[in-house]
Amino acid sequence: MIVGVMGGGQLARMLALAGQPLGIDCLFLDPVADACARSAGELLRGDYGDEDRLDQLAHRASVVTYEFENVPEASLRRLASRVAVHPDPKALAVARDRWHEKRLFADLGIPTPPFVAVDTHADLERGLAAVGRPAVLKTRTMGYDGKGQRVLHDAADAENAFAALCGSPLILEGFVSFDREVSLIAVRDRLGDTRFYPLTENVHRNGVLVQSVAQPGDPMTAQAEDFARRLLEHLGYVGVLAVEFFQKGHDLIANEMAPRVHNSGHWTIEGAETSQFENHLRAVTGLPLGATHPLAAAGMVNFVGRLPEAAAVLAVPGAHLHVYGKAPRPGRKVGHVTVRAPGEAELRKALARLAALAASA
Ligand code: AMP
């Protein structure tokens, strides 16, 4: 069976690697000739709006999925008129625009930071009066890994940020002084069977995820699962959905959702009975879901910018290295390491060693 994937980056590559034992081949559409997924499946090179390429993808694949949020809407419509597309394009339409996303959270009773749409300078002033300072000004679309957003502490920040970002539709959010950031990776199949991985605690630096640790039995689990279930059911969702939250006290506040496999779920590759990548493929192809329980204490460290020496990484007990085959570049995710350990103390020790290697690369 062939699964078409919009995008040929590392998420597409890991989907393809997970598909191989199941006899599932991934076919990627990506404009970049050396897209890193190409070593794990066939690459159709073309723009995401190239109608001939989209038709080839639809013709050859039994189902099409995607690895990023900014797939053009017209392309999804064209694909969906020819082949099954999962998750449903309406999930993507919501997730690609931070304002629509937060509106949906609010409509479903999922708490969010206070937010307002900002198109004009007057909107910004009204917005700051409504949400207070500090606040975060973000582009509504195309933002990822902390790009397209500024924290506003004072009037000068607000002026500078507005001048820098005002070419795009914007959203102003209240700044949440959170205790920690967590995410929930959920998966739902075509029949509505729903599974959740353990809540994951995440650390970001400059807006980029640097470390995730699975937290089985976390006291916030029920709240996170309740919120994610509302989204899955409302969207008639099929596939993996990631929901990112800020935790403050005993409350979860939703930041964003990703209708795809997610960086904070990479620990599941070696750390869970069935990885998020395999479960996403199972869900979109109509196969039964696999168990999501962790196999041990588990976590992940990202390699951002450059890779450390493989030998140093693999000398850490329980470490499993994943190299994406991407050229090093500041701020670019070039690989990660998952780690499995017999207990919490050993896990923390291994993660500290791996984080030090990542920082010194
Ligand atoms: P995002 O692209 O919205 O996921 O933002 C990237 C990171 O910026 C988040 O993981 C947080 O660490 C931080 N951040 C984003 N929005 C807020 C907010 N409203 N309050 C506090 N921190 C935020």
Side-chain angles (χ1 to χ4, degrees), residues 148-174:
Q149 59 177 274
R150 306 277 184 96
V151 180
L152 317 182
H153 296 281
D154 55 30
D157 289 343
E159 292 308 319
N160 293 337
F162 186 73
L165 301 175
C166 70
S168 324
L170 304 174
I171 183 171
L172 183 74
E173 301 174 7

Side-chain angles (χ1 to χ4, degrees), residues 168-217:
S168 324
L170 304 174
I171 183 171
L172 183 74
E173 301 174 7
F175 183 88
V176 181
S177 48
F178 52 78
D179 302 329
R180 62 173 184 157
E181 292 188 84
V182 295
S183 59
L184 188 70
I185 309 290
V187 60
R188 185 172 182 272
D189 73 11
R190 294 178 182 185
L191 303 174
D193 183 21
T194 300
R195 313 268 172 107
F196 300 102
Y197 289 93
L199 202 64
T200 300
E201 189 175 303
N202 301 314
V203 179
H204 292 84
R205 195 170 304 131
N206 303 323
V208 182
L209 181 70
V210 290
Q211 180 173 301
S212 294
V213 182
Q215 303 286 314

Side-chain angles (χ1 to χ4, degrees), residues 5 25 33 49 51 71 76 91 168 199 204 236 238 261 269 286 302 349:
V5 184
D25 292 320
E51 295 187 349
V71 180
L76 280 175
S168 324
L199 202 64
H204 292 84
V238 175
V261 286
I269 300 175
N302 262 346
K349 219 161 117 187

Side-chain angles (χ1 to χ4, degrees), residues 232-280:
L232 293 166
E233 288 176 3
H234 174 82
L235 294 165
Y237 197 89
V238 175
V240 163
L241 174 76
V243 191
E244 293 184 75
F245 299 99
F246 304 125
Q247 183 181 345
K248 199 166 160 51
H250 296 292
D251 296 320
L252 291 180
I253 300 160
N255 175 30
E256 61 179 353
M257 68 178 203
R260 54 170 170 79
V261 286
H262 193 255
N263 196 169
S264 68
H266 289 1
W267 67 266
T268 65
I269 300 175
E270 283 86 17
E273 175 73 23
T274 315
S275 79
Q276 63 163 348
F277 298 99
E278 180 172 339
N279 258 339
H280 184 73

Side-chain angles (χ1 to χ4, degrees), residues 81-99:
S81 68
R82 290 162 169 75
V83 65
V85 176
H86 293 304
D88 191 287
K90 71 175 183 263
L92 203 97
V94 169
R96 75 150 66 83
D97 182 324
R98 294 181 190 276
W99 188 81

